[in-house]
Amino acid sequence: MAHPIRTLPDDGGAPGGSIDGSRYGGIPAAAGRALRGFCALILPTSCVGCGRHDTSLCRPCRRAFRRATVRPFRAEAGAGSLPLRDSDGPESVTGAPPAADDAGGGFEPLPVVAAGTYGGVVARVLLAFKNAGHTDLARPLAAALGGALLAARADLPAGPCLLVPVPTRGRSLRRRGYDPLGLLLDGLRRRGELPAGSLLARPVRHRHPGVRLDGRPAGIPWIAPARQGGQKGLGRRGRQENVAGSMRVRRRYRGRLEGVQCFVVDDVLTTGATLAEVVRVLRAEGAAVAGAVVLAATPPPSGAELAYSEFRRNRRGEG
Ligand SMILES: [Zn+2]
């Protein structure tokens, strides 16, 4: 019998699919290209890492970025809003904040693999890419994300795996003109750099995209719309409240995710509240969420981050 993942709507998993700059989130291809070209024209060409050199990322900063992202590590310690890992069935999701040092007892947080720690050159490259139109930094960022995806995937049993990006808000897409995470994942897919057996899909969307691309209000606000301005600047409690109930599974994916092994993908892990919301809606559909993969994780307060190699050793010891 075919694995359920094979029957999912094609959302960009195959070459020529739709997760690319042209259709992702509904930005028309020409408009997206024009905007990116315009940004490239007006942006000053100095290194986003050090401010010197007539290039967006100079060679020393590129090397520093690579050094900082080449060894993926387990990053869930300290992200207090992550859901629990999927070990005892779908009811294990409680959203209860796990203790940072909880190493067992069935209350482990969802495993999160990060390419690097958020700070220094990693943060500067990511911010320039996300917020300053520097789409020319997609390659080093995609390489970092691809490495983290491979590391995370290597720890799962063989078989198909669905990569689910955290959805972009409509207003963010409109402001930027592109979807940063979508650009990275699509680049990896086009170059054949996604882990073997993985499929890229967008089964999750915001319940209230806020404003449509044409500027008119979208949807009927039968629940309070999420706070404007995303998660930035909010504490753990605020982030949880801001994001809880804010997402849903797209209609065409309903009833099709039962038993499907998934990884949620995001750019930055802070408290894990956003990941928790995506995991919640996937698990409500019966999906088996194995973990999450992020480009960068904010440093845990306890400094308890576990090197990925150490994590692998521990996992082998456990099993
Ligand atoms: Zn530099």
Side-chain angles (χ1 to χ4, degrees):
M1 192 186 129
H3 190 277
I5 201 169
R6 300 287 179 216
T7 68
L8 289 174
D10 180 10
D11 218 12
S18 64
I19 298 192
D20 58 12
S22 63
R23 261 190 54 198
Y24 198 88
I27 285 276
R33 269 198 305 274
L35 189 74
R36 287 200 290 276
F38 178 67
C39 289
L41 260 178
I42 59 164
L43 282 169
T45 49
S46 63
C47 174
V48 302
C50 63
R52 299 190 298 266
H53 305 288
D54 190 24
T55 173
S56 56
L57 190 63
C58 73
R59 206 174 287 197
C61 289
R62 195 172 285 264
R63 274 200 299 271
F65 177 84
R66 185 170 153 67
R67 270 199 305 277
T69 54
V70 80
R71 264 181 295 279
F73 61 94
R74 283 284 292 272
E76 64 266 26
S81 297
L82 283 173
L84 297 185
R85 76 182 302 155
D86 201 358
S87 52
D88 305 311
E91 294 310 310
S92 62
V93 192
T94 66
D101 59 350
D102 189 353
F107 292 101
E108 294 170 63
L110 186 81
V112 182
V113 174
T117 300
Y118 189 77
V121 71
V122 175
R124 287 195 289 273
V125 170
L126 197 45
L127 283 173
F129 173 68
K130 275 181 73 174
N131 298 333
H134 261 297
T135 51
D136 55 341
L137 296 172
R139 278 308 272 270
L141 285 162
L145 183 61
L149 285 168
L150 285 172
R153 185 69 185 85
D155 222 64
L156 280 187
C161 178
L162 198 67
L163 303 178
V164 179
V166 168
T168 303
R169 285 174 188 282
R171 69 178 75 95
S172 308
L173 192 62
R174 206 159 60 105
R175 178 166 48 82
R176 294 186 177 115
Y178 59 97
D179 170 48
L181 194 57
L183 273 186
L184 298 183
L185 286 168
D186 182 60
L188 288 169
R189 181 182 60 75
R190 268 189 286 106
R191 295 189 294 274
E193 291 168 4
L194 288 177
S198 55
L199 187 86
L200 199 51
R202 293 186 301 134
V204 180
R205 57 164 290 171
H206 280 278
R207 198 177 282 278
H208 290 281
V211 178
R212 290 181 359 177
L213 288 168
D214 60 8
R216 283 181 287 154
I220 303 158
W222 55 78
I223 62 165
R227 181 182 174 276
Q228 301 271 335
Q231 297 282 78
K232 210 174 143 193
L234 293 175
R236 182 169 104 195
R237 179 89 180 269
R239 282 169 187 254
Q240 276 172 332
E241 285 169 359
N242 185 32
V243 82
S246 69
M247 297 183 197
R248 66 174 178 82
V249 165
R250 289 173 195 274
R251 196 162 289 125
R252 66 199 188 108
Y253 281 95
R254 287 189 202 145
R256 309 180 79 163
L257 296 172
E258 182 76 43
V260 171
Q261 182 168 256
C262 302
F263 268 113
V264 182
V265 187
D266 203 359
D267 48 12
V268 179
L269 171 70
T270 308
T271 66
T274 308
L275 286 177
E277 175 61 6
V278 177
V279 170
R280 181 187 69 79
V281 299
L282 288 174
R283 283 179 175 167
E285 285 285 316
V289 183
V293 177
V294 297
L295 253 170
T298 51
S302 60
E305 77 187 38
L306 206 57
Y308 190 68
S309 54
E310 191 185 336
F311 148 65
R312 295 291 299 273
R313 270 201 304 280
N314 291 348
R315 281 291 294 269
R316 279 197 293 272
E318 249 172 51

